[in-house]
Amino acid sequence: RGFVSASGVVDDERLHALEDALVAVGGADSAERAVLLATLAAELSFSPADRARRVALSEEALALARRLDDPAALSRVLSLRFVTLWMPQTLQERLANSDENVAAARRTGDPVAEFHAVHWRAAALVEAGRLNDAWRDVEHEATLAERLGQPTMRWLATYDRANLEVIAGSLTEAEQHAQEALQIATASAQPDALSFFTSQLTNIRYEQGRLAELQPLIAQVVADNPGIPAFRAVLALACCEGDLDDEARRILGHETASAFGELPPDVTWLPGLVIYAEVAAHLQDRPAAGVLYEKLLPCAGQVVFSGVSAWGCVDHHLGAVASVLGRYTDAEEHLRSAAATNVELRAPIWVARTELATARLLLLRDGAEDRERGRAMLERAAAAAQRLGSATLARRAAGLLGYERALSALPIAVMPNPGARAARTPVPAPPPVAPAPSRATAPGGARAPGGGQNATLRLEGEIWTVTGADGLVRLKDRKGLQYLASLLERPEVEIHAIDLVAGPADATARGSGAAAAVRGNGDVAVSDGGDAGEMLDAEAKAAYRERVLELREELEEAERFHDVERASRLREELGFIGQELARAVGLGGRDRRASSAAERARVNVTRAIRGAVRAIAEHDARLGHHLERSVRTGIFCAYQPGPAGPDSWHISVER
């Protein structure tokens, strides 16, 4: 194969055979001894405890091959040396070795030696960011592989092409070549066939925003390859992409506790670290970010490449974890360096990723001109993501664009400014809505497993008391809780959003409701009522403004105490506010007109109920989760408890 017998394992039987062979050839200088020493060193590549020994063996082999001035032996030793030394700190040495290898191979006139020499040089060129030179070598090795027809060469040349196509953003072509490489590897019984393919497919799916689809496959590869701990980092990233943050946090926490010491000093070390950096940035995990920043800093300027997957510039990941740490100046400098490298690499998806990360940083910092620069970057990133078929990037860019519009529409800063709490501007509170009269719900809620319990929602003065399975929650009065009370007391009954806004007394007076008319055939026709004016009136904007101020203070507190889960929920609500404002505010901050009174009621009721449910979930996760799943909002709203709800709800109001 021209390199180790199998990746991620140490073949003890092969080691013993090599050691016996070294004894047999003796200690005299010979080409056989040089190649045996280099082969033994390469076979120890995935043995962390033997790093010093393998380096020493490789040094001895190289010195011997140079003394012999045997180009065939020298080329073979240098090819085996590449994987033996494959760590980021040896990049310059490996580049020099690779040039020496190509020259030695061409002196021999042996196309097999030349193939391996250009294959390894191409890998080093990718790490150094010299993509044009890497493409030249990959094209040349493909020509040699086609001419020689040797299966291992065809496999290496095919997956090398797929790697460069991922970087170039040609994801369809990359997947085709990865599949072709798998077929060649399987047919020729390569021991790394599945693990190499999984690495490439993971890389492709991540760029497409579809990594969560591979979680079962990645979990299997983790179990099958204990000698490659970096696969656990990929599993954690897949969990993040699939909204399994708790599982990702568990994996990251385990690695942080060991300061990422379980990643062995081999080719997978740097990819593992930067993937964990992406996980730490997603989870806003400061302890992990701090450790990762220090470990990655010496590798700044390099491209992360394992030979079968590429994970962007180290500077991009340094910028991401520096942002988590609040080191905005350092983060911006790293991201600026990554942006320049990505443009030089002609890596469009990486360009978009770094623009997205930079825009997030600018919105977080919110200094002079930051917002305008961030918006321009987000627009470019969103357009590129759509064009290149990167779903996750497109979704995140769209979400941040809505967030930026929220910043522009409201005269306050939505995102926290670490180290300084913003002065709270007095904002008029929304006028109270007449509460529902005191009443007890009729039984009809579904029974919880194991014998359900009753739940209560009680308003006393300005304070709502919510009692569920996990205890008692007290919340300040808000419209969302009033709407929620109306739905909870009448499970499975659809209530029009206009009726919820108007209150129960008006709804009763209207009988069937002014918003709806029953047709002769029994269908309900909602009256449009014409243009309902601005989608968000001054009252709604005031309510948004007050809620954003509350969220900002709560988010600062959550981040100060490293409460990642609470901070994540708060950011989600801020994102929802951004989306609603994006719908309601057009270019230049102009208000959009609502299509109907029903639509306006739908927007306001949905916003209010979701905020109320999130507030409950912060104190009683089980009850909050039940309400999130059971309360349906829209033009018609309903509480549909399902099999996991309380036996009944008791609703009461005492002013």
Side-chain angles (χ1 to χ4, degrees), residues 38 59 140 145 159 164 171 264 332 344 399 410 442 504 512 528 532 556 573 619 654:
E59 295 285 357
H140 184 52
Y159 78 60
L164 298 191
L171 302 181
E332 186 173 22
E344 187 176 348
L410 298 175
S512 61
D528 187 290
E556 286 180 358
E573 185 170 350
H619 303 279
E654 298 176 8

Side-chain angles (χ1 to χ4, degrees), residues 498-524:
I498 288 180
D499 289 337
L500 286 173
V501 171
D506 289 342
T508 302
R510 286 194 303 273
S512 61
V518 180
R519 301 184 191 274
N521 60 7
D523 292 340
V524 177

Side-chain angles (χ1 to χ4, degrees), residues 502-589:
D506 289 342
T508 302
R510 286 194 303 273
S512 61
V518 180
R519 301 184 191 274
N521 60 7
D523 292 340
V524 177
V526 179
S527 173
D528 187 290
D531 183 349
E534 298 169 354
M535 292 184 73
L536 292 178
D537 57 15
E539 177 185 324
K541 288 180 182 176
Y544 269 136
R545 195 178 300 118
E546 181 170 8
R547 181 56 184 156
V548 165
L549 286 167
E550 292 172 355
L551 288 169
R552 173 180 175 167
E553 291 186 352
E554 292 174 22
L555 183 56
E556 286 180 358
E557 181 181 72
E559 291 185 334
R560 193 163 58 251
F561 290 100
H562 308 305
D563 189 341
V564 177
E565 187 171 351
R566 182 184 174 205
S568 177
R569 289 198 301 269
L570 293 168
R571 289 192 190 91
E572 183 182 352
E573 185 170 350
L574 282 169
F576 171 73
I577 291 175
Q579 291 172 2
E580 290 300 306
L581 286 167
R583 294 177 64 252
V585 180
L587 296 175

